[in-house]
């Protein structure tokens, strides 16, 4: 155990989460992030001069960096694996199958598919379709092949817009993966796929085919609103991906603090 | 990287989080967990028969399994390291120093101090004071010495009461660490210490001395409401502790999904 | 004062609010209603056997029976009366002009325009356009002419669907007032206009012209999700309308509990 | 109806609510008020240049100006009128008897018992006990006798501290009604009694006897955090009290926007 921990301690940590704060970007149909202190330091003092502060928060489970549970989407009334969703949902209990609490610790190999860098390293144009061909180019540039169980992170460089909510949301027009790209990912057998946009999928997408294919048909989790700029700048392609979804019973997603851990000397 | 990931994949995962659901236990002065779907599957159908569901949640940052940020407590108006807290707090922004967003990925050696097992393996009596002597007995039973940077998890077996909120909260009378025990932990130099109760500290505690010592004086994070029964049952003492606090700006704590990863053949 | 109160006490009270509960209908882009007890009776007992329970709630300000503040809509970047909205809005503070806190107690004459009854008394078909001609027919049936400062309540009978959220929301297709009808209302000079649907305005409405005309151009408040069945069943046309919006600073709407008070002997 | 409305329109309106905003005072065990816009004007534009903004809010039902439902307190496991509370409560549904949704429109005579003015017109000292004798002096000063069904509003002048949350909450030490005063009120037969403090009852109050007597034993509602300064300054003693609690199913209280309507020429 000690040698393993020693080995892990040599890795460089890349924080892949955006932070939660009032006014942060959010998808219009998901509730915004709200927060308040519940008490301030100094409101109450104990005998010894101690005092404490605490907070309350409220948010949509898809607000901020998060991972979709498989129960987020259904097709023809059925969830991934076939459950009839009308029998499995309840306003206060949520979805009784494939809820966020069923998502495990992700401690797997991750690969950065740096599509933005392949196309010049600027934030992609809003109508950029990320299909199989483009993913394959990014994979070639990464110098490693995606394998079954890996985590694929796709960079559009829209993380640079995070601080400008209106630009980041962009009237729901943004670059992203298309059905063709989603099929390429499921053929590779990834465990989860994520990007640095609000939707992963290219928008507009009247049928949300990428979500349907990955979540319902293929059982692959989707991560959104990742922070990938630092990872890209360090030219890291392969890493240990670490993330633990909150154990929210029946929830369709969980806020997340994912990390990429990489060898200290990334390939040049 | 592949060999490291291969090595990690041989470890057994112990989920140390309780789950969030309506009616779960919470400290009376921290807001409860609330949740609702925002839409149900079938409310809206796309052309291809796809539909989606989503949720909203609201909670105190100290509600459920969580980790305290250092800014949770102050002493004589000062935070850990000396900042004057009156200049550093704001209702909507939170605390400008040592907020939850500053907490890193914890990927360190963890040690289970199984106090409950040392004392017969029943849930501890509410007035049980866990001081240095008791921690030392539990450490001896663990067969390994806590070292600088480790995570110390202290089991009272009160996790068995989690499903009975009134019993778990128990009118704020519960077993836990005393100042004497907290000093022992800080002398060992742990990075964080946690337990399976609502407060870590023995309650009632009119001066909250354990929180003050660990958070303000020693800079040691506190974890509460951990699920330790499975880990104890498997007789695991030493493990890789994995947890990533949410990046909540200015927050005094973060909900958490911690894991213990152990060799598949725990010591007999 | 006593004679006035005596006179008021002879009136029959009609409750015009739907109730708030988990799972109630809500517009998809407005957060749902969530609630939880924060403590239950019996969690804590005082010496004398007393105990208390309390709650937390979370909701969109447009969720449930509510009244729109004038700041809810803007046209070409301007609020009602001309303020440039980009200078007047803030995530945590809300809108600095025409916020919910500026809405007064409404204690005015109300008139029920019972469009559903005029058309046969069934819930109106989803595509029913309520224009000037239809409003005029309903006014004639009411037997009284709308005057400046009155409150106009328009019944579609969709309140009968309230208990079936999917039917009430109906994929955002529902009967309602059209621009033509909105102009008729503003010409009459009403202070507020409301109905028993989610949107007041007929949906779909790609330009939301009714909201724009009433809120921005005419300065007329809109009420939505009213409960009008009992009032209609009692054949009440003219009444004292009583409602007091919550004093929510900068909010774009307020939840509301409106009442209609009518002579005990309604016209036959 | 028109003459009644005409008569009402001659009355002067006194707004008795404090406003809700981030950072407002709240009782420590009740969740704070949180708010956020869900979208800003300009995030989305329709063809015609229209845009809209909306909000989400979260709060304890006892946060801000509010009225207690009778189910807020119990005595020896029983609610007002005798229901066994253990059979009547549920985390998400709330309390099945005497919930906020059962509170009617209050449209009754109100009387201001201006205790602060009787004692010199400064905010009362925190330990001021408002018992029967003091209430009787204030009633005499009001020049009218409280009658069955009236609303009694008791002024401590602590509303002047509202803008200073720490002073208003004051470590839960504040002037207020005592059991002796509560009994005087119930003997008068008031329908509700309120004040301008956080607790109505004098704090500390280890047995919360005033709440128990009024809510459980006498069936009298309590209002807290009222704004009474303007009413007092205008020397109004008798008025029409108007308030409509939100129809929150199973809730133990409701936020409120109460008004006092008085003859335009108050007594000198």
């Amino acid at each position: 155990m000690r040698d393993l921990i020693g080995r892990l301690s040599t890795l460089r940590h890349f924080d892949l989460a955006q932070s939660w704060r009032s006014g942060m970007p959010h998808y219009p149909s998901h509730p915004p992030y709200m927060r308040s202190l519940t008490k301030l330091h100094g409101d109450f003092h104990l005998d010894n001069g101690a005092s404490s502060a605490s907070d309350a928060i409220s948010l949509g489970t898809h607000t901020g960096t998060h991972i979709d549970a498989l129960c987020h989407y259904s097709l023809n009334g059925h969830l991934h694996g076939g459950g009839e969703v009308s029998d499995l949902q309840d306003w206060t209990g949520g979805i009784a199958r494939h809820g966020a609490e069923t998502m495990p610790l992700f401690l797997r190999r991750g690969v950065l598919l740096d599509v933005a860098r392949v196309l010049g390293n600027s934030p992609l144009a809003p109508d950029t379709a990320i299909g199989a061909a483009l993913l394959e180019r990014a994979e070639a540039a990464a110098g490693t092949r995606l394998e079954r169980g890996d985590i694929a992170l796709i960079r559009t460089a829209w993380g640079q817009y995070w601080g400008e909510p209106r630009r980041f949301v962009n009237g729901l027009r943004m670059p992203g993966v298309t059905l063709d790209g989603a099929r390429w990912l499921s053929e590779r057998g990834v465990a989860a796929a994520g990007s640095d946009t609000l939707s992963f999928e290219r928008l507009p997408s009247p049928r949300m085919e990428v979500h349907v294919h990955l979540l319902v048909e293929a059982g692959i989790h989707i991560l959104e609103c990742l922070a990938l700029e630092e990872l890209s700048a360090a030219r890291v392609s392969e890493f240990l991906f670490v993330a633990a979804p909150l154990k929210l019973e029946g929830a369709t997603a969980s806020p997340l603090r994912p990390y990429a851990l990489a060898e200290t000397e990334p390939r040049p």
Side-chain angles (χ1 to χ4, degrees), chain A residues 22-258:
Chain A
S22 291
M24 62 184 281
H26 72 112
Y27 203 95
S29 58
H30 296 303
Y33 178 68
M34 298 196 286
R35 64 147 288 135
S36 175
L37 289 177
T38 58
K39 63 177 169 177
L40 278 78
H41 288 283
D43 283 353
F44 295 85
H45 273 112
L46 306 182
D47 275 359
N48 54 343
S51 191
S52 69
S54 303
D55 344 64
I57 61 175
S58 180
L59 66 158
T61 55
H62 299 259
T63 296
T65 304
H66 70 280
I67 181 167
D68 289 349
L70 298 185
C71 68
H72 179 34
Y73 263 80
S74 61
L75 185 60
N76 299 322
H78 292 80
L79 294 175
H80 173 70
E84 189 132 2
V85 73
S86 58
D87 301 336
L88 294 166
Q89 60 186 352
D90 172 81
W91 278 100
T92 51
I95 314 293
R97 194 172 299 174
H98 299 311
E101 81 281 12
T102 66
M103 290 192 280
L105 170 64
F106 290 90
L107 196 68
R108 293 167 173 273
R109 193 175 79 117
V111 173
L112 179 65
L113 300 176
D114 200 337
V115 174
R117 185 173 294 276
V118 161
L119 295 178
N121 212 21
S122 296
L124 298 179
D127 59 351
T128 309
I130 303 179
L134 206 39
L135 290 174
E136 213 145 311
R137 277 178 65 190
E139 188 191 41
T144 183
R145 189 182 157 90
L146 270 177
E147 292 175 6
R148 184 156 299 278
D150 282 352
I151 308 294
L153 303 187
I154 297 163
R155 177 172 171 258
T156 69
W158 275 50
Q160 296 176 20
Y161 298 158
W162 180 258
E164 302 163 80
R166 197 167 289 172
R167 197 172 184 190
F168 187 79
V169 177
N170 198 43
L172 299 178
R173 306 189 76 82
M174 62 192 67
V177 171
T178 59
L179 180 56
D180 176 56
R183 287 193 171 132
W184 184 86
L185 288 163
S186 64
E187 276 161 26
R188 284 286 195 269
V190 298
S195 86
D196 48 5
T197 72
L198 192 65
S199 62
F200 184 77
E201 183 156 4
R202 188 175 69 150
L203 294 187
S205 175
R207 296 175 166 200
M208 294 303 281
E209 295 163 323
V210 169
H211 275 70
V212 169
H213 178 63
L214 293 180
L215 296 171
V216 185
E217 293 173 348
I220 295 171
H221 297 281
I222 298 173
L223 298 101
E224 289 156 334
C225 302
L226 294 168
L228 301 175
E229 293 309 292
E230 199 191 349
L231 195 64
S232 172
R235 308 299 285 268
V236 172
S237 295
E238 186 187 21
F239 46 88
L240 173 61
F241 178 83
V242 186
L246 294 180
K247 203 170 177 175
L248 306 174
E249 287 192 20
T252 64
S254 171
L256 199 71
R257 178 80 174 276

